[in-house]
Structures are given as structure tokens and as C-alpha cells.
Amino acid sequence: MRNLSYIPILILVLNLTALRSQELKIFTLNDFDLKGKVKTCLVSTDYGKELFEFNKNGVLKKTVTQYNDNDQDITYYTYKDGELLEKRMESYKNNVLDESTSMANFYEVDTIPNRKVTEKIISYDKQFLEQEQYYYDEAGRLVRIISSNVEGVDETTLEYTQVKNELTVSTFTNGILQKAVRNSIKKTPNGDQEVILTKEYIDGEPNTATEEVFNSAGKLVTSEEFLYDFTKKEFVSQKKRYYQYTDGVLSKVIKKTINTESAEKYIFQFDNHKPSNWVKQIVTPGNTYTTRTITYYPEEDLKEETSN
């Protein structure tokens, strides 16, 4: 999520509206690489458009995925006392609401003795789809998810292991290891670096892995993809990316594999707002583009709301 401005926005929204959730999260301007009192952000690419709408506190309240003139998905977020209360995803085909693929997520929060969140997912045609129950420990960490639907009940557990400056979170589904994420701090002459190593498993067997390294400013500097080699019994590097920045803005990405090397240059244009946001991104040599049309809340409205 940290480098959201450099990945396809439409993919993110598909993740936001996915049926099965993991950690519950309230999305804010920071998750979309936006600064200031942004009201709306319309992202346009060569493959579609995405509209994000925020409330005056910078919290995401609506998204619109526009596939073409007749088909779109609209997601609404409702909050109460800082908690996500309801999420509705409405799917329109030929400008008509499709009740079978539209769904509503309802959330209930219980904080005694520890935090517990119950999520119920129901389609607009009144079909029960799924229920998720999220259980947290005394430190506020997610430790268990109980998922139930017409196919049965699944239990996901999260185990936290701290060794010196390394924290590993292992995720098990019905007792079978699915993922392990290790977060560590690496000392360098240029400051501390955060290293996140994510290993993915299939039926408990190692499959793929990614390693991301962030500098002291939180910028991604390298990412590496691995594939597990059962003959060597280890993860083998497949591709590595090096990220370069100019004045804190991404300017170049170098991609290396065993046999190839390529580079992409990133060109950004910014608006005149203070603080400023980028409104156009061009990637060469492919010349792909992304534009963002951004509107802001008027300062008068914000001052009036504060005084009231």
C-alpha cells in the first residue's frame, strides 16, 4: 500500500471489494499517496477509470470503478465512532443494478474482554454469502478469523514470533501454513532499513516469496521475487527491481533477471495545490500513462466545520 501511486489502481479496488477479508482496515488519503484536504480523486489510465471520494477527515467513503459507459461498480463505506459500520458494493450492468452480484457487508464490534469484529456479507437479493469473525488479543493484534459459509467453516490463526529485531507473523488455515511474513530492521550507513520477507505456501509446501526493502523515509528501494526449488530445497531468485528517486519522487525502476536487464523511467507532473499531488504519471519506454483529476475541500468549509 505504501507505493500505491506506482501500481494499477483498479487492482487495488478489486482487492478492497473482495468477498473474503483478512485484516480489517479503514483506508485514508495516505493509502492513496494523496496529501491535503482531498475531496475526490479520479484516476484515468488506458484501461479504465476509478473515482475515490473522501470525507473531510480524509477517510475513504466511496469508490466508483467505471469499466465502460454501461458497466460500473460502486462501493460505499459508512462509519460510526471511528469504526467501519457498513460497506455496500453495487454492481451495474447495462446501467441496471445486478442484485445477485451486489453485496452488503455489515460490521459489529465487541470490545469485552478483547476486541472482536463480526462481519456479515449478504447479497442484494437476500442471499447469505459469508460471515467472518475477527478475534484480537490484549495487544490489539489479530489472532484468529472464523469464516463460515454454505460450504462450511474455516479457521485462520495468526502466530507472532519475536526474535531480537525480527517479527514473524505466520498465518495458518485449518492448521496448514499459508503465509509467513518476517519484518526486520537492517542497520546501514544511510540509516535503518525495513525488510519485509513474505513467503507463500500451498498446502503447507513453500511456493513463492518476495522481499521488499524500504529506506528510512519509507520508500521502497528494492523488491525481489523468489520461486521455491524443491531440488535445491531453497527459494531461488527470479527477478529483482531497484527503485531510484529524485527529490523523493520515483524516477527510475531497473528490473533484473538471470538473463535480462531493463529500465523504466517515471515522469510526474504535479498540481499547484499546497501540499501538491501528482496529476500525471508517464512511464517510458512503453509510454503508458496515468492521470489523476483531484478536487479539494474549500478552506471556508473546513474552517466553518471546525468552528461548529
Side-chain angles (χ1 to χ4, degrees):
M1 299 293 295
R2 304 187 198 200
N3 293 275
L4 193 58
S5 57
Y6 315 129
I7 64 175
I9 298 293
L10 294 179
I11 294 177
L12 167 78
V13 174
L14 293 177
N15 291 334
L16 292 183
T17 56
L19 177 60
R20 182 181 295 274
S21 304
Q22 288 297 321
E23 175 77 63
L24 290 174
K25 178 176 173 60
I26 293 177
F27 293 93
T28 67
L29 293 170
N30 291 335
D31 296 308
F32 298 84
D33 192 31
L34 290 167
K35 303 173 184 177
K37 297 297 182 179
V38 174
K39 182 177 182 179
T40 63
C41 177
L42 176 64
V43 181
S44 302
T45 70
D46 51 1
Y47 51 79
K49 292 184 179 181
E50 192 71 48
L51 175 68
F52 300 91
E53 186 174 333
F54 303 87
N55 63 23
K56 293 182 179 181
N57 295 320
V59 177
L60 181 66
K61 68 175 186 178
K62 180 182 177 182
T63 66
V64 180
T65 306
Q66 193 73 46
Y67 301 105
N68 51 54
D69 292 339
N70 301 317
D71 301 328
Q72 64 178 358
D73 289 338
I74 304 177
T75 303
Y76 302 91
Y77 300 85
T78 303
Y79 307 92
K80 182 179 181 181
D81 300 327
E83 297 278 4
L84 181 60
L85 182 67
E86 183 178 308
K87 179 175 69 176
R88 291 180 176 269
M89 196 282 284
E90 299 180 350
S91 179
Y92 292 86
K93 295 180 175 60
N94 294 319
N95 293 320
V96 177
L97 178 67
D98 185 346
E99 294 188 348
S100 63
T101 58
S102 300
M103 63 188 70
N105 300 50
F106 301 100
Y107 302 88
E108 294 180 3
V109 180
D110 186 358
T111 59
I112 300 176
N114 294 329
R115 179 178 175 85
K116 172 188 172 184
V117 179
T118 300
E119 176 184 16
K120 296 181 180 180
I121 308 173
I122 302 172
S123 67
Y124 271 38
D125 59 1
K126 308 303 181 181
Q127 299 294 316
F128 169 78
L129 300 177
E130 191 164 345
Q131 176 176 285
E132 307 270 357
Q133 290 181 303
Y134 304 84
Y135 296 85
Y136 298 78
D137 63 12
E138 295 179 353
R141 303 179 304 185
L142 180 66
V143 293
R144 187 160 63 109
I145 305 173
I146 303 296
S147 306
S148 57
N149 53 40
V150 294
E151 297 180 355
V153 178
D154 292 316
E155 180 181 35
T156 299
T157 56
L158 291 85
E159 296 182 0
Y160 299 80
T161 305
Q162 182 81 51
V163 178
K164 294 184 179 180
N165 66 336
E166 295 183 355
L167 173 64
T168 301
V169 182
S170 301
T171 303
F172 300 83
T173 299
N174 299 327
I176 300 175
L177 181 62
Q178 301 292 326
K179 179 190 292 187
V181 181
R182 187 186 71 193
N183 189 303
S184 61
I185 301 298
K186 180 181 179 182
K187 302 289 185 179
T188 72
N190 297 323
D192 292 349
Q193 289 186 335
E194 182 182 9
V195 182
I196 301 177
L197 175 63
T198 303
K199 295 181 180 179
E200 302 279 356
Y201 297 80
I202 296 179
D203 295 329
E205 297 290 340
N207 182 36
T208 62
T210 59
E211 184 182 70
E212 297 173 306
V213 179
F214 299 86
N215 62 20
S216 57
K219 299 288 187 181
L220 181 65
V221 291
T222 64
S223 64
E224 191 167 6
E225 300 174 11
F226 300 84
L227 185 64
Y228 191 78
D229 188 321
F230 284 93
T231 302
K232 297 180 179 179
K233 295 185 178 180
E234 64 181 10
F235 285 98
V236 178
S237 178
Q238 304 294 307
K239 182 185 296 184
K240 190 169 184 178
R241 294 178 174 88
Y242 301 85
Y243 300 81
Q244 299 179 6
Y245 299 85
T246 302
D247 296 329
V249 179
L250 183 68
S251 57
K252 190 176 184 179
V253 177
I254 299 173
K255 302 178 184 179
K256 290 185 179 182
T257 66
I258 297 176
N259 301 316
T260 65
E261 179 176 336
S262 62
E264 291 181 333
K265 291 185 178 181
Y266 286 73
I267 302 170
F268 290 92
Q269 296 178 2
F270 291 82
D271 62 15
N272 294 322
H273 190 270
K274 293 184 179 180
S276 64
N277 289 292
W278 68 265
V279 292
K280 189 169 186 178
Q281 171 192 275
I282 302 173
V283 183
T284 62
N287 290 326
T288 59
Y289 74 91
T290 300
T291 61
R292 304 198 303 184
T293 303
I294 300 172
T295 65
Y296 297 88
Y297 282 102
E299 291 295 332
E300 294 75 12
D301 293 352
L302 298 174
K303 291 179 182 178
E304 181 179 345
E305 185 176 270
T306 303
S307 63
N308 292 337

